[in-house]
Amino acid sequence: MIKGFLEKQKAKGKLLQAFRSGELYLTYKSGKNTHLILPIIHYVGIDKEAQLLTYVFSIPLGLDPKEVIKKRWLFEQQFGQNLEIEQENKRFTLKIFGKSYPKKLKWDFEKLTESFEGQIPIPCGIDRHGRIICIDLVENPHLLIAGFTGSGKSTQVRSILATLIQYFSPEELELWLIDMKMVEFQFYRNVKHVKEDIVVKGKDVKPLLQKIDDELERRQELMFNEGVTHITQLKEKQPFIIVAIDEVASLPNDKEIDEYLVEISNRGRALGVYLILSLLRPDSKNIDSRLKGNLTCTMGFKARDRINASVIGMKGAENLAGDGRFLMSIPDYDDLVELQAPYLSEKGLEKLLKDYKKTDEEIKKEVEQKQIDEVKGELSEKNIFGVLDNEKA
Ligand SMILES: Nc1ncnc2c1ncn2[C@@H]1O[C@H](COP(=O)(O)OP(=O)(O)OP(=O)(O)O)[C@@H](O)[C@H]1O
Ligand SMILES: [Mg+2]
């Protein structure tokens, strides 16, 4: 009890010292003496388990509240950089975190998913309290990963896809990948979860999206026939489908492509089809506003400037440190939360994926099956013409 009191007094003294040395006070003279009117400290909270020190203080009437925000350096000098200041009129809450983000959070499947309880795990990262955040894509359908060059988008996509591949069997999850830069998704070639060829050419984008659209139709019909409202309620389980597109802005400029994407974002959530998109510059030219409105989960990595950050509602993303730091709004949290993304290198991914690739034998069989299907298709076309010819005769 006494120990706690003394600790609080000591903590109070430290803050008062900061006010003094940063001249965060008003003065008045009486006679020869100058008196200081310091801010009043209303509350000091020490949470040892969370390693969190909280102060609530208010500044004297007449002192500009902006001064406190401007003098953030003052608190940093006294308490270190790992702090937060919130303002409500002339009242401030100052939080000082003992734990800081690790410089790197190594991607670790077990650690990232151990407390996950939903259906599709999206490992996000670690917060300043050391808590791992892993959200459910079913609850937060469609994900946008935005950020400037080198901010960590591809690394995050890598960590998410690696987690999903390890979490689901190929019967439970299908990945449909589009990568116009031809660099990010090459590693996933011949992975069992990747059902269609990875699209790397503009001309192949529309046919793939058309196929997804057909699948949406098929699923909707199934649900209609069984009278259910969500894909998970069907008698025969359908795999989740994730359509991942690296750099949406590099897709061909085509109204129909935009429409397909909007369509997936509208209907996919009930049908088990979800988008994961990455985007360098989130301005309105690069992403349809209807599509943007349907992406319920956004990760804002370091943005080029304030405008780019605010377009996707990630105010402050322009000030992030880079190297996998990002902002995100998380269910049950009021504000945007800053997180450190896990790190998985390309080499690490390659090593991991070895266990999930098709064997040469399986690839050969698939190629043969494709050829048979093509020949069958050609034959049936010929038949139709044959019938037509007969009719003419
Ligand atoms: N989570 C992370 N932890 C630590 N370092 C990271 C993390 N993410 C990215 N980095 C560092 O930043 C570099 C660039 O990351 P990445 O390639 O993911 O960026 P990007 O946003 O995809 O860039 P581009 O727009 O050029 O494709 C990485 O090579 C790595 O050094
Ligand atoms: Mg990238």
Side-chain angles (χ1 to χ4, degrees):
M1 189 82 168
I2 292 179
K3 196 171 161 227
F5 174 77
L6 287 177
E7 272 172 344
K8 280 190 182 177
Q9 284 307 106
K10 204 171 148 201
K12 209 169 168 176
K14 257 185 119 172
L15 184 59
L16 287 171
Q17 198 186 337
F19 292 146
R20 280 202 195 89
S21 49
E23 296 182 1
L24 210 58
Y25 49 70
L26 293 177
T27 53
Y28 74 91
K29 280 201 159 144
S30 81
K32 279 188 191 157
N33 299 329
T34 305
H35 297 274
L36 306 185
I37 313 175
L38 286 159
I40 298 170
I41 301 172
H42 303 282
Y43 171 79
V44 180
I46 302 173
D47 182 341
K48 287 207 171 136
E49 205 190 328
Q51 294 198 28
L52 173 68
L53 173 60
T54 309
Y55 292 105
V56 178
F57 63 89
S58 54
I59 52 171
L61 208 66
L63 189 65
D64 186 354
K66 284 196 202 103
E67 285 297 303
V68 177
I69 303 297
K70 253 198 267 169
K71 288 187 174 166
R72 183 189 168 93
W73 56 266
L74 169 68
F75 302 106
E76 288 184 354
Q77 274 180 0
Q78 182 72 299
F79 300 104
Q81 293 200 337
N82 204 6
L83 55 82
E84 254 173 33
I85 306 173
E86 282 166 33
Q87 183 199 346
E88 206 179 308
N89 297 322
K90 59 191 192 74
R91 204 177 166 95
F92 292 86
T93 304
L94 169 65
K95 287 184 182 162
I96 293 132
F97 303 93
K99 278 184 192 157
S100 59
Y101 299 98
K103 276 241 164 68
K104 240 180 205 174
L105 170 66
K106 218 172 140 234
W107 179 87
D108 177 331
F109 176 79
E110 303 295 337
K111 205 167 139 191
L112 289 168
T113 56
E114 72 187 350
S115 51
F116 178 71
E117 285 175 346
Q119 299 190 69
I120 305 181
I122 299 294
C124 307
I126 194 165
D127 74 3
R128 63 185 355 150
H129 308 294
R131 274 188 301 237
I132 297 281
I133 308 286
C134 182
I135 63 157
D136 186 1
L137 192 61
V138 173
E139 294 291 324
N140 309 273
H142 313 304
L143 169 63
L144 175 66
I145 299 175
F148 199 49
T149 307
S151 59
K153 302 180 294 295
S154 298
T155 307
Q156 185 71 327
V157 173
R158 196 181 302 145
S159 135
I160 292 171
L161 294 185
T163 304
L164 293 173
I165 287 169
Q166 201 164 339
Y167 195 83
F168 290 108
S169 73
E171 288 71 39
E172 295 168 323
L173 173 82
E174 289 180 16
L175 294 174
W176 299 50
L177 307 175
I178 302 179
D179 174 15
M180 311 308 272
K181 289 202 276 185
M182 289 200 253
V183 283
E184 288 315 327
F185 292 159
Q186 48 156 334
F187 302 105
Y188 303 93
R189 193 151 289 145
N190 295 325
V191 166
K192 288 178 185 164
H193 301 70
V194 179
K195 284 285 142 57
E196 297 288 325
D197 288 342
I198 298 167
V199 168
V200 291
K201 288 192 189 133
K203 70 173 177 57
D204 296 331
V205 174
K206 225 191 289 183
L208 186 89
L209 294 177
Q210 167 77 56
K211 262 188 200 171
I212 297 168
D213 203 56
D214 293 346
E215 177 63 13
L216 291 178
E217 278 306 311
R218 191 188 71 82
R219 290 182 171 212
Q220 197 134 39
E221 218 169 281
L222 274 179
M223 281 165 53
F224 179 77
N225 290 340
E226 287 188 27
V228 298
T229 53
H230 199 276
I231 194 82
T232 48
Q233 298 158 339
L234 283 175
K235 275 189 231 121
E236 197 184 328
K237 231 178 144 195
Q238 303 292 315
F240 288 123
I241 292 178
I242 289 185
V243 184
I245 306 178
D246 192 61
E247 190 45 70
V248 197
S250 66
L251 295 178
N253 200 350
D254 183 323
K255 272 235 153 64
E256 260 183 277
I257 291 180
D258 292 347
E259 288 309 313
Y260 277 135
L261 291 177
V262 171
E263 211 37 35
I264 298 172
S265 70
N266 269 335
R267 294 160 66 201
R269 54 171 70 199
L271 303 170
V273 181
Y274 304 96
L275 295 168
I276 295 182
L277 311 176
S278 79
L279 183 61
L280 191 72
R281 282 195 199 86
D283 58 36
S284 52
K285 268 185 286 164
N286 289 332
I287 184 159
D288 189 295
S289 61
R290 292 168 301 162
L291 174 61
K292 201 175 70 188
N294 281 340
L295 308 170
T296 57
C297 181
T298 302
M299 297 179 178
F301 285 76
K302 187 173 176 63
R304 189 169 66 152
D305 52 34
R306 211 157 50 92
I307 298 168
N308 272 267
S310 62
V311 167
I312 47 159
M314 291 291 139
K315 228 172 103 188
E318 71 277 14
N319 298 325
L320 289 168
D323 281 352
R325 276 302 170 81
F326 66 101
L327 295 178
M328 186 178 166
S329 71
I330 292 174
D332 306 330
Y333 286 57
D334 292 339
D335 290 324
L336 288 178
V337 181
E338 187 175 332
L339 301 175
Q340 171 67 41
Y343 184 76
L344 175 63
S345 66
E346 291 182 348
K347 273 223 167 79
L349 177 75
E350 262 184 306
K351 201 168 146 216
L352 178 104
L353 291 182
K354 271 195 188 132
D355 294 340
Y356 298 93
K357 296 242 174 167
K358 294 168 198 159
T359 60
D360 290 345
E361 192 57 32
E362 283 169 316
I363 296 170
K364 208 172 125 199
K365 260 195 194 154
E366 243 184 42
V367 173
E368 282 168 4
Q369 189 59 46
K370 243 190 194 162
Q371 284 167 347
I372 292 171
D373 289 347
E374 270 168 28
V375 173
K376 268 190 192 163
E378 276 171 29
L379 278 179
S380 66
E381 262 176 42
K382 272 193 192 137
N383 273 345
I384 293 169
F385 292 123
V387 171
L388 289 177
D389 287 344
N390 282 345
E391 274 177 358
K392 264 190 221 161

